[in-house]
Amino acid sequence: MRYKLDETRKTGRRTRTSHAQVVDELGKAIVAGTYPVGSILPGDTELAQRFKVSRTVLRETMKTLAAKGMVVAKARVGTRVTEKNLWNMFDSEIIAWHFDNGVTEEFLLQLYDIRLAFEPFAAGLVAERANAEDIEMLRGLALEMAAAGHTADSLALADLRFHLAIAEASHNPFMRTLGSLIEAALVGMFRISTPPTENGFANIADTHMRIVDAIVSGDNAAARRATEDVILDGRVHVHEAFVARGSDAVTGPISAAISPL
């Protein structure tokens, strides 16, 4: 899912292969509980007729879902849906399928828990490792948030680009894999939160520029604190938005959550 919002804007909806379509449909159905934990998926003949694909496509589909931890195949039994604690929740498609099914406040707050565990540390690494190009990029992205006339959509994209850039500038490949979680958390917040001013969340540019200032100073601790403050602020927005909405869940594909500019 990394950079999916940017790619969606540039290329529009891309044509998916038969394999990808079947993976998507079955993955959504499993997350939605159409095929509950412990159940056996329909056999190849039924699925081949339903999706109008070959058995080869179905075999590849089951391999993909198995790699995500969602199913396990057993001889003479069939393909069984596994317990949710075995699913790879860092997988971008699994996160997207949860949004399709409607994510709860608990789900979004759990995403923020993971962000708190990793992103402040990544910002600290950037303070130690950033080169001039990294700093110039981050400063430009922070200034972009302060531009006049932002909509909630364009501000969300600017915010996403900044946080993905922090992960990149850490020069740690493991941090870069967190892009799916960052995107899901940010999109979820902006989908349910109404910005308090016409230019978006009032202090978003200032709080992000504090991260940049700490990085420029080479202050690991300050960069971590500033990043933690930003994430905690977003977490508060999520909670307040759910309180205002009642118990409604956030629904809709993540890739479609921010409309094209």
Side-chain angles (χ1 to χ4, degrees):
M1 187 190 304
R2 293 181 66 246
Y3 302 104
K4 180 179 288 186
L5 297 182
D6 285 318
E7 291 173 356
T8 300
R9 291 169 182 270
K10 294 174 182 177
T11 65
R13 186 177 297 276
R14 293 177 175 173
T15 301
R16 291 183 299 175
T17 64
S18 296
H19 165 258
Q21 291 175 353
V22 179
V23 168
D24 189 54
E25 290 298 322
L26 287 178
K28 287 178 184 177
I30 291 172
V31 171
T34 304
Y35 302 116
V37 169
S39 66
I40 303 298
L41 294 181
D44 285 356
T45 301
E46 179 180 340
L47 290 176
Q49 291 176 348
R50 180 186 307 178
F51 295 111
K52 296 180 171 50
V53 295
S54 67
R55 290 177 179 268
T56 299
V57 169
L58 288 177
R59 284 195 294 272
E60 292 304 312
T61 295
M62 295 308 166
K63 287 180 182 179
T64 299
L65 292 175
K68 297 176 185 294
M70 301 181 77
V71 300
V72 60
K74 292 189 176 181
R76 295 185 296 278
V77 174
T79 302
R80 180 175 57 82
V81 177
T82 59
E83 297 289 336
K84 290 185 177 181
N85 62 355
L86 297 177
W87 299 1
N88 177 14
M89 294 305 296
F90 284 81
D91 185 279
S92 61
E93 287 187 303
I94 292 180
I95 294 173
W97 293 331
H98 277 80
F99 269 79
D100 290 336
N101 190 48
V103 294
T104 62
E105 177 184 6
E106 180 184 21
F107 184 88
L108 281 178
L109 294 183
Q110 287 171 343
L111 287 175
Y112 275 85
D113 289 342
I114 296 299
R115 291 187 67 197
L116 281 170
F118 288 99
E119 286 189 66
F121 187 81
L125 292 179
V126 178
E128 297 175 354
R129 302 174 180 178
N131 54 40
E133 182 179 354
D134 294 329
I135 291 172
E136 180 181 2
M137 175 181 60
L138 291 170
R139 189 181 297 280
L141 291 171
L143 288 172
E144 182 182 340
M145 294 182 206
H150 267 306
T151 64
D153 290 353
S154 63
L155 184 60
L157 182 59
D159 196 4
L160 173 62
R161 286 172 173 164
F162 180 91
H163 287 279
L164 291 177
I166 288 287
E168 291 286 343
S170 71
H171 299 286
N172 183 317
F174 294 99
M175 292 295 179
R176 295 169 187 159
T177 64
L178 297 175
S180 299
L181 302 178
I182 295 171
E183 179 175 354
L186 288 173
V187 171
M189 180 184 72
F190 278 91
R191 279 180 61 89
I192 65 175
S193 303
T194 301
T197 74
E198 64 179 1
N199 289 326
F201 293 97
N203 65 340
I204 190 168
D206 292 339
T207 56
H208 285 70
M209 190 57 75
R210 290 190 197 111
I211 299 174
V212 177
D213 290 340
I215 289 171
V216 171
S217 300
D219 191 332
N220 179 307
R224 294 176 68 162
R225 286 194 303 270
T227 303
E228 185 175 289
D229 288 343
V230 166
I231 297 171
L232 288 173
D233 185 58
R235 201 175 192 278
V236 169
H237 278 296
V238 168
H239 174 67
E240 290 177 344
F242 269 97
V243 170
R245 291 164 59 104
S247 59
D248 294 342
V250 179
T251 59
I254 289 180
S255 59
I258 300 178
S259 58
L261 287 173

